[in-house]
Each structure stands twice: as C-alpha cells, then as structure tokens.
Amino acid sequence: MKKIDPGVEEAVDTLGLNGLARRRLLSGAGLVSASAAAAALLSACSSENKSDDKSSGDGVGDFPRTPKWRFVFVNHVTTNAFFTPTQYGASDACALLGASFQWTGSKGAIVQEMVSAMTSAVSAKADGIGVCVVDVNAFKGPVDRSLDAGIPTVSYNADGARGNPGTNRLCYVGQDLYQSGFQMGQRIVSLMPDGGDAVGFIATPGALNIQPRIDGATDAIKASGKPISFTSVASGAEVPQELSTIDAYANGHKDLKGMFAVDAGSTESVGKVMKKYGLKAKGVVAGGFDMNPNTLTAIEEGDLDFTIDQQPYLQGFLTVLYLWMYQLSGGLVIPSVTDTGLLFVNESNVGPYLRSKTRFEGSSTKQQLVKRSGPIAHA
C-alpha cells in the first residue's frame, strides 16, 4: 500500500469507522496527501454513514428528500415596507428547506381581496397557508375550507380579536398585540407626567393587527389615572396618506403634548412631522411601532422617544418553518403559538440597528453574518 500522509490517518481515525471500512478507505487511490484526500474522505464518510445509519436522507440537512412545497402568504398591505423583512424571512426559510412561497392579498387592507386570495390558494392546492386575520369574522370560513382540504393553515402578524382568534388556525406567529399596546400606554404615561392632549394614529381602525394596540394603550392610560386626553385618529393604509393626515393634524392642534402611532407607516410619519416642525424642542413627546429605517433615524436624532420591535423577519421565517415541519411530519408536529416579542428601542439602544443594514430589519438585501460583541442585556 502507498505511504499515507499522517494527517490523513489521523483524520480517518476520528471517523470511528469499523476495521474493514477503515482499511478500504486507506487503501483507496489518491490518499497519499492530505490535500488530495479531502474529496475522497467526504465521499467515503457519506457512503459509510448512509450504510450504517438508515435515518440519513438526501434532502436538506439530514432530512429525507421532500417535494418543493409551495406556501402562500395572504397579507393585508402587500406593499407596506413593514413586511419587507417578513418576506426576507420567508425567502430565507424556503432557501434552507427547499420550498417556495407566494406573497398575495390586498394592497389596501381590503378584506374581500384577502379572502379571494385565500380562496385561490386553496383552489390551487397550496401546501400551506399563512394569513393575517385582520377581521374577526371574515376568515373563519376560508380557514375551515383550507383545513378541510388538508392544507395546514396558520395566522401571522394578526390573530383576530383579543380572546377570539376568529378562526381554527393551527397556531399564531406574531406579537401579543393588546399587551404591546398596553405597555405602550404605560410608556406614554411615563413620558407625560403632567398630562395633556395626546393623539394615537392608527392606519386602519378596526384592523385586528393594530386595533388591539390602540385599545391596549387607551386602557393603560385610563388605568393610570393621569390627566391625559388620548384621541385615536385614522391615518390611512398607505404612507403618503398617513403623512399628509398627521401633518394636517399637528398643524390643527398646537396644544398637543404627545404624538404616537400603532403601525409602521404612521410611526415613520410622526417622526417626519416632529422633525419638520421642531416639536421636540416645544416639549412634545412621540413614539410608535416597528423598525423602519426612517423611524430609527428619527430616534437617533431625538424626534421620536421610542419605537417597539415585533420581529417581522421571524413572522415570515417561522411561518414557513412551521408549515414545512407539519408537512414533513405528516401532521404530527403541530405548530405552537409563538409570541415574537416586544422590545422598546430608544436612543440608548438604537445604535446597533442603524450601524447594521440587514435583511432582518428590511434595510438591506444582503445575506451576511452580523457580528456582535460585549454583554447581552438581561430580559
């Protein structure tokens, strides 16, 4: 037998192969140098492991080969920038798992358009559906028909009303919306110790991805007993309309002490209006939801006091993962309700979000490893 490079023998010894397999591998052609051995070692290890371990598969990772399952997302504001990281999350999960997804629904929060998109997904025999349940009544029938057709269906981002999901979905992936609004209300109270007039902008009143937030904020303010007059105002489903509405309201209410919002577009617009009229210097406090790049900049510059993160990337990634695992396991792995969390981002912790342009916040298309260092904040 040819002389074997000691590095190759050492590598082979770490594989735990039986005697016959070891001799076969070492007697193979091309193993006289460590560099030449690499491809042969990988091939041999793969074949030996497959013969010894019947659980190994030829799909992604160590899973068996699967069809390229197609999942459908039914969304209420398909072009809203908030859902850019959600789509990246779904895309990344599909790339890992060998699946695909389709992004459908309504551009302007029209429920009937969403129902129609869901009906089409069922008719086309999608392999799984994720739907934003923004209406407590409209989606029960469509979700039931999807489940009856054998299509696993989950809700994401919105899950009906508080205490009433409105459907028989398998699980919900998203923030606890009422609780996030309640905590926002508590933050408003702390920012307005002397009371005064405050406004809460909501893109589409009644839409169950944001209405629970304004309800929670209102309840927290009332529970505090503080002399804060909190008014809810509809701003509109698309950013240009939101900006013009908020600008006009600020101009017409010079005594405002607080401007807040419960959706991404309205929050961004509040930041722009605060900056435009120098309202921070006039004693106005402000905040809202989500991690739009302009919102983060407004926090760094001091025009917004806070925003609340709800991890939209995970809402896409986990929805795909849960639907895929349900299909892989033949329905034995039932997806679990998952709260994607609540994090207040303010001037003290906004830096890393601004320094890192990533798919996770929708500020970059680039696939990258985001390095960090130092202690991790305690929850």
Side-chain angles (χ1 to χ4, degrees):
M1 188 171 80
K2 296 178 182 178
K3 184 178 179 182
I4 305 300
D5 186 288
V8 174
E9 288 199 90
E10 183 178 349
V12 171
D13 287 341
T14 67
L15 299 178
L17 302 177
N18 61 40
L20 178 61
R22 185 182 187 282
R23 286 194 298 276
R24 249 189 229 145
L25 186 56
L26 288 175
S27 62
L31 297 188
V32 293
S33 72
S35 58
L41 280 171
L42 287 172
S43 176
C45 291
S46 175
S47 62
E48 287 294 336
N49 286 338
K50 284 184 179 179
S51 65
D52 292 341
D53 181 2
K54 301 302 182 183
S55 67
S56 296
D58 56 0
V60 295
D62 199 38
F63 289 112
R65 185 183 299 275
T66 65
K68 188 172 184 178
W69 287 314
R70 180 179 63 89
F71 305 123
V72 176
F73 283 72
V74 179
N75 190 265
H76 53 292
V77 281
T78 53
T79 60
N80 194 296
F82 167 81
F83 286 106
T84 297
T86 305
Q87 293 177 73
Y88 286 152
S91 177
D92 290 348
C94 284
L96 281 174
L97 301 172
S100 66
F101 82 98
Q102 181 182 1
W103 188 254
T104 67
S106 174
K107 180 180 178 181
I110 299 173
V111 170
Q112 189 51 50
E113 292 180 355
M114 297 176 67
V115 170
S116 177
M118 191 161 178
T119 300
S120 296
V122 174
S123 297
K125 300 180 179 179
D127 296 301
I129 296 174
V131 57
C132 297
V133 182
V134 295
D135 184 288
V136 77
N137 298 311
F139 295 96
K140 185 179 188 310
V143 169
D144 284 347
R145 288 190 287 275
S146 178
L147 294 172
D148 290 344
I151 301 172
T153 304
V154 305
S155 62
Y156 73 100
N157 186 255
D159 191 44
R162 185 185 180 204
N164 177 15
T167 71
N168 292 307
R169 85 299 188 260
L170 296 178
C171 80
Y172 167 59
V173 180
Q175 188 178 71
D176 184 326
L177 300 171
Y178 177 85
Q179 184 60 31
S180 69
F182 195 90
Q183 290 194 36
M184 176 188 188
Q186 292 177 321
R187 182 61 60 98
I188 291 171
V189 169
S190 71
L191 290 170
M192 299 180 63
D194 299 324
D197 293 340
V199 60
F201 293 104
I202 176 171
T204 47
L208 295 178
N209 62 313
I210 48 180
Q211 185 65 44
R213 291 176 177 164
I214 205 85
D215 293 342
T218 301
D219 288 351
I221 292 168
K222 287 180 179 177
S224 75
K226 293 284 186 178
I228 298 173
S229 177
F230 186 69
T231 302
S232 174
V233 173
S235 53
E238 298 186 42
V239 172
Q241 181 184 354
E242 290 172 318
L243 181 58
S244 62
T245 299
I246 293 169
D247 191 305
Y249 192 90
N251 262 320
H253 297 78
K254 302 294 187 181
D255 295 330
L256 274 177
K257 296 299 181 184
M259 292 179 65
F260 305 95
V262 294
D263 60 272
S266 296
T267 299
E268 178 179 324
S269 296
V270 166
K272 290 178 179 178
V273 171
M274 288 285 294
K275 182 179 182 67
K276 179 179 179 180
Y277 297 114
L279 296 180
K280 177 59 66 175
K282 298 176 182 178
V284 181
V285 292
F289 277 82
D290 301 325
M291 307 291 281
N292 287 14
N294 287 332
T295 294
L296 297 174
T297 298
I299 290 174
E300 183 184 48
E301 295 177 352
D303 294 306
L304 290 177
D305 291 280
F306 68 87
T307 192
I308 296 174
D309 187 15
Q310 61 169 312
Q311 299 282 2
Y313 180 93
L314 287 181
Q315 294 177 21
F317 189 95
L318 292 178
T319 294
V320 168
L321 177 62
Y322 288 172
L323 293 172
W324 192 87
M325 287 301 304
Y326 186 91
Q327 289 285 18
L328 179 72
S329 68
L332 296 177
V333 176
I334 303 293
S336 58
V337 172
T338 303
D339 183 350
T340 55
L342 182 157
L343 173 69
F344 279 95
V345 177
N346 55 31
E347 194 172 13
S348 70
N349 61 353
V350 72
Y353 297 97
L354 286 168
R355 290 194 300 270
S356 303
K357 303 298 182 183
T358 74
R359 292 168 68 84
F360 308 117
E361 302 300 339
S363 54
S364 172
T365 62
K366 185 180 178 182
Q367 294 284 11
Q368 59 186 305
L369 170 64
V370 183
K371 295 183 178 180
R372 67 163 307 280
S373 61
I376 297 174
H378 297 197

